[in-house]
């Protein structure tokens, strides 16, 4: 069986290869919603992890390099940076959760999270997909087990799980393409220069269960769920 670390390397390499090809061919996936003055109307239920300040600062330093080359793109503000543990209900138009429904998910997800050990992370390297810039992460075995339990235990409680797609990834989306890249060669060179940049190691002691828009700019409901043995 291929270990998760090797699966992640293969996944990130595949994403980056495709992204670089599409950028060179000027075939980006342009996010036109980010160019609209209207707020994003899509809503989803997500379990996510926040980044510590030192990691966000390190990412911000690289993003400043990209902004200098391609200021026309959308770059996530530091407070909005996060790691998606699971899209429990992928963001879409028309999704509405009542307070009662949110409370049921909160109770069930909280029970799973509070019996899961804290997750250890290493964020290292930057890649491109056809539509975004990502910082790639490696993680401990706790995350894979948490995802497995969520996918099996929530439906058993009649709580649907509707991911966009099941994933093993542990990345941070740090930018999205809203226009053609003005200097694609320089942009790709900067991504390559940061292919092995170490953005930091940290331990995640809690997760946030949120109802929010696609870009994590509008958060309607949020509750923090601590991992096992963590009292903060």
């Amino acid at each position: 069986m291929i270990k998760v670390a090797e699966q992640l390397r293969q996944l990130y390499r595949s994403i980056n290869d495709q992204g670089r090809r599409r950028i060179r061919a000027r075939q980006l996936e342009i996010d036109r919603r980010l160019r609209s003055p209207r707020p994003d109307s899509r809503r989803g239920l997500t379990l996510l992890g926040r980044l510590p300040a030192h990691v966000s600062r390190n990412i911000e330093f690289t993003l400043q390099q990209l902004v200098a080359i391609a200021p026309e793109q959308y770059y996530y503000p530091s407070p909005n940076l996060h790691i998606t543990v699971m899209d429990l209900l992928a963001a879409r138009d028309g999704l509405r959760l009542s307070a009662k429904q949110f409370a049921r998910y909160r109770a069930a997800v909280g029970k799973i999270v509070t019996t899961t050990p804290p997750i250890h992370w290493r964020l290292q390297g930057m890649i491109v997909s056809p539509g975004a810039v990502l910082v790639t992460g490696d993680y401990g075995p706790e995350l894979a087990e948490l995802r497995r339990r969520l996918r099996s235990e929530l439906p058993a409680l009649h709580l649907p799980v509707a991911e966009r797609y099941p994933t093993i990834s542990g990345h941070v989306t740090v930018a999205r393409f809203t226009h053609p890249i003005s200097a694609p060669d320089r942009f790709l060179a900067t991504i390559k220069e940061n292919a092995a940049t170490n953005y930091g190691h940290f331990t995640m002691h809690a997760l946030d269960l949120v109802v929010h828009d696609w870009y994590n700019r509008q958060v309607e409901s949020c509750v923090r769920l601590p991992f096992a043995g963590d009292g903060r």
Side-chain angles (χ1 to χ4, degrees):
M1 177 180 292
I2 301 177
K3 293 183 178 180
V4 171
E6 179 57 30
Q7 290 179 313
L8 286 171
R9 281 192 289 271
Q10 292 178 6
L11 173 65
Y12 297 148
R13 187 183 306 117
S14 175
I15 292 171
N16 193 51
D17 288 347
Q18 183 186 28
R20 295 180 71 86
R21 285 196 302 270
R22 295 280 291 273
I23 289 174
R24 290 195 184 100
R26 300 185 182 275
Q27 296 175 343
L28 295 179
E29 293 177 2
I30 301 296
D31 191 330
R32 303 193 184 281
R33 290 199 186 224
L34 278 170
R35 293 164 55 173
S36 171
R38 297 180 180 179
D40 183 14
S41 60
R42 296 168 294 181
R43 292 295 179 271
L45 178 67
T46 303
L47 189 62
L48 57 82
R50 305 291 181 182
L51 305 184
H54 74 280
V55 174
S56 294
R57 283 195 300 269
N58 292 339
I59 293 174
E60 184 64 31
F61 179 76
T62 301
L63 289 185
Q64 289 172 5
Q65 299 174 42
L66 295 177
V67 170
I69 298 168
E72 68 278 357
Q73 309 306 330
Y74 175 78
Y75 299 92
Y76 278 74
S78 290
N80 294 354
L81 294 173
H82 63 279
I83 297 172
T84 297
V85 169
M86 185 177 291
D87 285 316
L88 298 171
L89 299 174
R92 60 177 174 82
D93 284 310
L95 177 67
R96 295 291 179 268
L97 278 181
S98 68
K100 183 177 180 179
Q101 289 171 315
F102 183 75
R104 290 189 64 213
Y105 275 100
R106 173 182 178 174
V109 174
K111 185 176 180 180
I112 296 171
V113 172
T114 55
T115 55
T116 299
I119 300 174
H120 304 287
W121 288 90
R122 179 185 67 174
L123 296 187
Q124 183 172 358
M126 181 170 281
I127 63 174
V128 287
S129 74
V133 179
L134 315 175
V135 167
T136 57
D138 294 321
Y139 50 80
E142 305 85 6
L143 178 58
E145 176 62 11
L146 174 61
R147 285 170 165 166
R148 184 196 67 77
R149 291 186 62 192
L150 290 167
R151 289 169 180 146
S152 64
E153 295 181 26
L154 293 183
L157 296 171
H158 306 290
L159 292 170
V161 173
E163 301 173 84
R164 281 191 294 156
Y165 50 86
T167 183
I168 64 166
S169 185
H171 66 269
V172 183
T173 302
V174 298
R176 292 188 183 275
F177 301 133
T178 55
H179 299 80
I181 299 174
S182 53
D185 291 340
R186 290 177 58 206
F187 193 89
L188 288 176
T190 301
I191 296 291
K192 187 175 182 179
E193 288 168 5
N194 288 282
T197 297
N198 182 7
Y199 294 101
H201 295 70
F202 62 98
T203 299
M204 197 173 279
H205 293 278
L207 298 176
D208 287 353
L209 181 65
V210 302
V211 176
H212 64 163
D213 71 321
W214 188 276
Y215 312 107
N216 197 42
R217 295 190 297 187
Q218 304 171 66
V219 178
E220 296 182 354
S221 301
C222 178
V223 60
R224 180 145 296 186
L225 304 174
F227 284 115
D230 197 89
R232 15 184 145 180

